[in-house]
């Protein structure tokens, strides 16, 4: 009996152990299944993660490439910026130089204009001084010519007047740097006087009047004095005008100047009378154009 009880007890113990072991195996099997499912899930997640990691790697590489390209572009941009700054500075420098050059050019223009004005004024002053000097030469010869009126010898005074006229022309040629030729000069002064027939007539009559004793000598001398002075005055004005216009003895046209000579002859008479008798001439200035 006791052995049966032991056996029964043992059997029960074995059965209980089997049941517990079976339950434990079942639980373990279930746990393994759950773990297997979890492993599969994790493997799937890992696979997905690996795919995402590959994508992340590609994106990372592209990002690195983009950053590298941006760095190159940034360097190029900096280089171009420096180049633009250099060009801008050069442009500013050129503009400053251009402004300076323009200012210098304007200054040169202003100075040139002022210089031209000064030169014109100097030339005008020189011409005026030269003209005044020429008029003084005429007056000097007028004094010499008027003195001929006091010579008592008829006709000699007319010949002497021609000599004074020729000498006046020689002096004016020298004054205006014009080549003088005595033969051409004689023909010119002769043409001027002969072109005014009344002048020759009056000169001849005044000279011959000296043959009359007394009042004829005095009257002829005074008339000859006025005419000699006026003739030299008119001769001087003609050649002063001709030379100041750039003329020479070779291009002198006596016929062209005859009207002007007659006009200046009348002014010369008034001028001589004003000097002799203290009256003012009513004629125009000898330097006016007819």
């Amino acid at each position: 009996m006791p052995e049966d009880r032991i056996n029964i007890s043992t059997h029960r113990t074995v059965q209980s152990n089997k049941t517990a072991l079976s339950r434990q195996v079942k639980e373990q099997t279930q746990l393994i299944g759950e773990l297997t499912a979890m492993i599969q899930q994790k493997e799937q997640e890992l696979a997905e993660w690996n795919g995402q990691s590959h994508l992340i790697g590609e994106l990372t590489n592209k990002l690195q490439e983009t950053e590298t390209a941006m760095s190159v572009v940034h360097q190029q941009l900096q280089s171009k910026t420096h180049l633009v700054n250099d060009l801008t500075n050069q442009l500013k420098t050129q503009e400053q130089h251009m402004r300076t050059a323009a200012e210098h050019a304007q200054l040169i223009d202003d100075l040139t204009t002022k210089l031209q004005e000064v030169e014109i004024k100097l030339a005008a002053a020189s011409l005026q001084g030269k003209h005044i000097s020429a008029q003084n030469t005429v007056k000097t010869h007028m004094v010499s010519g008027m003195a001929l009126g006091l010579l008592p010898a008829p006709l000699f005074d007319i010949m002497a007047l021609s000599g004074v006229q020729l000498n006046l022309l020689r002096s004016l040629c020298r004054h205006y740097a014009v080549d003088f030729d005595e033969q051409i000069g004689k023909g010119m002064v002769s043409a001027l006087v002969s072109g005014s027939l009344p002048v020759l007539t009056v000169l001849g009559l005044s000279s011959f009047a000296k043959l009359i004793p007394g009042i004829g000598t005095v009257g002829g001398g005074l008339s000859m004095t006025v005419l000699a002075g006026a003739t030299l005055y008119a001769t001087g004005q003609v050649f002063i005008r001709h030379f100041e216009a750039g003329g020479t003895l070779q291009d002198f046209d006596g016929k062209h100047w005859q009207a002007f000579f007659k006009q200046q002859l009348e002014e010369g008479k008034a001028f001589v009378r004003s000097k002799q008798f203290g009256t003012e001439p009513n004629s125009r200035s000898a330097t006016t154009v007819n």
Side-chain angles (χ1 to χ4, degrees), residues 57-243:
E58 290 181 353
L59 292 175
T60 302
N61 291 333
K62 290 183 178 180
L63 180 61
Q64 290 177 347
E65 291 175 357
T66 302
E67 289 178 349
T68 302
M70 288 180 64
S71 177
V72 173
V73 171
H74 181 67
Q75 291 178 355
Q76 292 178 351
L77 182 61
Q78 285 183 336
S79 177
K80 290 181 179 179
T81 301
H82 290 316
L83 179 60
V84 170
N85 290 335
D86 291 340
L87 291 175
T88 302
N89 292 332
Q90 291 178 6
L91 182 60
K92 289 180 179 179
T93 302
Q94 290 179 354
E95 289 177 348
Q96 184 176 2
H97 289 166
M98 289 177 65
R99 285 196 301 270
T100 303
E103 292 173 355
H104 288 170
Q106 183 62 42
L107 179 60
I108 290 173
D109 289 341
D110 293 341
L111 291 176
T112 301
T113 302
K114 291 182 179 178
L115 180 60
Q116 290 175 346
E117 292 176 354
V118 171
E119 288 178 347
I120 291 173
K121 290 179 180 179
L122 287 175
S126 176
L127 289 175
Q128 184 178 8
K130 203 166 190 178
H131 181 80
I132 292 173
S133 178
Q135 293 293 346
N136 289 333
T137 299
V138 173
K139 291 177 182 178
T140 300
H141 284 77
M142 284 177 65
V143 172
S144 299
M146 290 165 66
L148 297 176
L150 302 178
L151 294 177
L155 297 181
F156 178 78
D157 48 7
I158 296 179
M159 295 175 59
L161 176 61
S162 298
V164 176
Q165 273 186 293
L166 185 62
N167 188 59
L168 171 61
L169 178 57
R170 181 186 293 105
S171 299
L172 290 176
C173 284
R174 187 185 308 113
H175 182 71
Y176 287 103
V178 174
D179 292 336
F180 176 76
D181 184 281
E182 187 168 351
Q183 295 302 320
I184 296 176
K186 286 181 179 179
M188 287 180 178
V189 295
S190 224
L192 277 177
V193 177
S194 62
S196 181
L197 187 59
V199 177
L200 282 176
T201 303
V202 176
L203 280 173
L205 291 176
S206 297
S207 182
F208 278 107
K210 296 179 182 180
L211 294 173
I212 303 173
I215 191 170
T217 303
V218 176
L222 291 176
S223 179
M224 187 65 186
T225 298
V226 173
L227 283 175
T231 300
L232 289 166
Y233 177 87
T235 302
Q237 302 313 314
V238 167
F239 284 105
I240 287 175
R241 181 67 57 83
H242 179 63
F243 292 153

